Amino acid sequence: MANEQADGSVWSSQEQIAAHLRDRIINGDFEPGEKLPSLRQMEAQFGVATNTIRAAIATLTSERLVISEQGRGVIVRRHRQLTMRPAAYKNPAPQGQKYQWLTENEKRGMAAKGKLLHVGEVIPPAAVRAVFQLGKNEPALLRRQVLSLDGEPCELVEVYLPLEIAAGTKLMNNHLLRGGSGRVLEDLGYPTLRCEDRVSAQLPTPEQYAALQMPTKLPVLRTFRTTFSTDDRPIQAEIMAKAGHLYELRYDF
């Protein structure tokens, strides 16, 4: 069943079957909790051996799209693909409350958590340096954390802040910030007035691959967000990566 694609590449039968089933799951043709066709049915449909079907199912299992249940077969997981609404997390949390991302996902009935991975001064990527108008060797503060839903990693977040704002403040502390960095910035006199998102798809970096427990050959959704305050001053730059097959972004205009 392996076919040559327009670009000359060849997809194995296993990859084609996994891609077909993945597309139907993501598009809602198979609902959460629904059973996929049996091995025998898929053998007849795709004209391949049982081992090839099993390999395709193993791929979808590693992607967290399906699970195998004794006596039931292969079932589409509840977290088929989640819709995230970035505008819901734009503004800082009210004083004393949790980071907005945690609150919004807890409203969905999900266990949302953040785990801090790193806090420290780094030479940021060129795109971040451009936002803050930093020289090639000028540092910024980096706060890196991984966010999880129901115990599974869903987003790697890198928050960059200018040292002229962050130095000597809670932003330098090596622990999670209640309400998030936006809450601290507002308390310091830098309210969030607008955000600019640039969204792209890319293959994961080694850090993203490890933190998100990504299977191979699948892209991440990368959001580069700049937060602006008074006088349109950029006060924060974020690089956020989500597994592209598990999440979609919704923007309302």
Side-chain angles (χ1 to χ4, degrees):
M1 186 180 171
N3 288 334
E4 185 171 339
Q5 306 301 303
D7 62 0
S9 63
V10 175
W11 283 29
S12 68
S13 298
Q14 167 190 333
E15 290 172 324
Q16 290 182 65
I17 294 167
H20 173 81
L21 294 172
R22 184 188 303 116
D23 184 66
R24 294 197 65 189
I25 291 169
I26 289 174
N27 285 317
D29 294 326
F30 292 122
E31 293 288 338
E34 185 176 348
K35 179 182 174 181
L36 294 187
S38 68
L39 291 177
R40 183 170 295 179
Q41 288 172 320
M42 285 195 276
E43 285 175 27
Q45 178 182 355
F46 297 111
V48 297
T50 301
N51 285 345
T52 302
I53 300 295
R54 291 187 189 278
I57 295 300
T59 296
L60 298 180
T61 302
S62 72
E63 294 172 6
R64 291 178 268 162
L65 291 173
V66 301
I67 56 174
S68 295
E69 294 187 1
Q70 187 69 31
R72 289 194 64 197
V74 181
I75 310 298
V76 177
R77 295 189 60 180
R78 180 167 70 91
H79 296 169
R80 180 191 70 215
Q81 189 180 47
L82 287 177
T83 300
M84 312 299 279
R85 302 180 66 174
Y89 325 128
K90 178 177 75 72
N91 295 320
Q95 191 68 252
Q97 294 190 19
K98 294 180 181 179
Y99 177 41
Q100 290 280 62
W101 185 91
L102 300 176
T103 302
E104 290 299 319
N105 282 294
E106 286 172 355
K107 289 178 182 177
R108 296 179 170 188
M110 306 177 76
K113 292 184 179 180
K115 179 182 179 181
L116 191 63
L117 303 178
H118 175 81
V119 178
E121 295 183 21
V122 299
I123 303 300
V128 174
R129 296 200 305 270
V131 166
F132 296 144
Q133 298 184 358
L134 298 176
K136 188 173 183 179
N137 296 313
E138 286 189 82
L141 176 66
L142 168 63
R143 298 184 60 87
R144 180 187 289 120
Q145 66 174 319
V146 63
L147 303 175
S148 64
L149 291 174
D150 290 345
E152 294 183 342
C154 69
E155 185 168 16
L156 181 65
V157 181
E158 295 181 340
V159 178
Y160 294 89
L161 300 128
L163 286 176
E164 61 188 41
I165 291 177
T169 73
K170 293 179 181 179
L171 294 166
M172 305 290 290
N173 292 351
N174 193 25
H175 59 70
L176 291 171
L177 302 171
R178 187 166 184 82
S181 56
R183 175 70 265 164
V184 177
L185 285 167
E186 186 159 301
D187 292 343
L188 291 171
Y190 301 98
T192 295
L193 297 185
R194 74 178 183 93
C195 294
E196 176 186 280
D197 278 8
R198 285 182 278 166
V199 182
S200 60
Q202 65 176 42
L203 291 176
T205 65
E207 293 79 9
Q208 292 165 350
Y209 180 91
L212 298 175
Q213 300 175 15
M214 291 285 293
T216 59
K217 295 187 177 180
L218 288 175
V220 293
L221 282 176
R222 178 185 184 273
T223 302
F224 186 97
R225 173 174 298 165
T226 306
T227 301
F228 297 87
S229 190
T230 307
D231 297 326
D232 221 30
R233 178 182 181 178
I235 56 173
Q236 181 170 270
E238 298 171 78
I239 299 175
M240 298 170 278
K242 305 174 185 66
H245 65 297
L246 295 178
Y247 298 92
E248 66 177 8
L249 301 179
R250 173 177 168 178
Y251 291 89
D252 298 317
F253 295 91

